[in-house]
Amino acid sequence: MSSEPILELKHVYSGYGSIKALRNVSLKVYPGEIVAIIGANGAGKSTTLMTICGIVPLEKGDVIYNGSSIKRIAPEKLPTLGLCQVPEGRRIFPRLTVEENLILGAFYRDDKPEIKRDIDHVYSLFPVLGERSRQQGGTLSGGEQQMLAIGRALMTKPKVLLLDEPSLGLAPIIIHQIFDIIADINKNQGTTILLVEQNANLALQAAARGYVLETGEITLEDKASSLLHNPEIRKAYLGE
């Protein structure tokens, strides 16, 4: 593990107007890691990712990416730096085809031969997308739309991928397929992943380290394996 984090939140406060969603949140993600943020609904997990991306205003603190502050960089510029989010609810372009969605993921790129190669790579990861390349995104199943959202993010050639609730609303067999691909992206492509996930069991099995977020504050951080076997975590988040 590198001694320097590729992504770091330092004493971050953020929110929605008078609502303070995050309070004094600090966390680190090192190159090549999968790091999970777990917590109950409304704990601030998605807000953490949206604060990193500048979608939710940062009130205090700082977000450091690759050694530099990104708190004043426009959200749409972050993918050009290698930081990309797969938002909760997929948010693909429903009237565009699968391939057009993927091409839009490469919007800022000008290396056309590599774009075609990367589309083919997405199809190798998600064969069903290759079979449906000319189908409108809105006609795909929920699981296929999640695959497309991840594939579109991969077209930005991310160094760090922010995944927001990738299992939400999906059948168990599809969830396991998605998480197998997440592991593959991390292991074989070296992509660093910050994972927000309601399914704490899945998240901690996938991750190297984890943070527990409760009502906008980090209350615990540890190796994912230790959190997975922590009796309090098992009782609070794993239904035991």
Side-chain angles (χ1 to χ4, degrees), residues 71-109:
K71 66 181 180 181
R72 291 186 175 87
I73 295 178
E76 65 271 17
K77 298 295 185 186
L78 293 176
T80 69
L81 303 177
L83 181 64
C84 190
Q85 181 179 1
V86 179
E88 181 182 350
R90 276 79 86 171
R91 298 186 193 175
I92 60 159
F93 297 99
R95 294 187 180 181
L96 299 184
T97 67
V98 165
E99 190 141 319
E100 287 167 342
N101 269 273
L102 295 178
I103 290 168
L104 274 177
F107 181 77
Y108 286 106
R109 293 173 54 184

Side-chain angles (χ1 to χ4, degrees), residues 1-17:
M1 187 193 302
S2 167
S3 59
E4 294 297 323
I6 191 169
L7 179 65
E8 183 176 6
L9 274 65
K10 292 185 173 182
H11 308 293
V12 161
Y13 290 75
S14 72
Y16 308 85

Side-chain angles (χ1 to χ4, degrees), residues 41-78:
N41 273 334
K45 303 188 302 298
S46 294
T47 301
T48 301
L49 298 191
M50 291 192 289
T51 301
I52 292 169
C53 292
I55 297 165
V56 173
L58 184 70
E59 296 176 4
K60 286 171 61 179
D62 207 351
V63 178
I64 307 296
Y65 170 68
N66 246 353
S68 300
S69 174
I70 57 171
K71 66 181 180 181
R72 291 186 175 87
I73 295 178
E76 65 271 17
K77 298 295 185 186
L78 293 176

Side-chain angles (χ1 to χ4, degrees), residues 106-147:
F107 181 77
Y108 286 106
R109 293 173 54 184
D110 55 11
D111 51 344
K112 285 188 178 179
E114 286 198 31
I115 290 172
K116 176 65 171 70
R117 186 198 67 192
D118 289 343
I119 288 173
D120 290 340
H121 178 62
V122 170
Y123 291 157
S124 73
L125 289 173
F126 302 108
V128 69
L129 296 184
E131 295 166 11
R132 290 162 171 51
S133 64
R134 301 191 185 282
Q135 195 169 316
Q136 285 187 331
T139 67
L140 302 178
S141 70
E144 290 162 355
Q145 288 188 22
Q146 184 65 67
M147 294 173 189

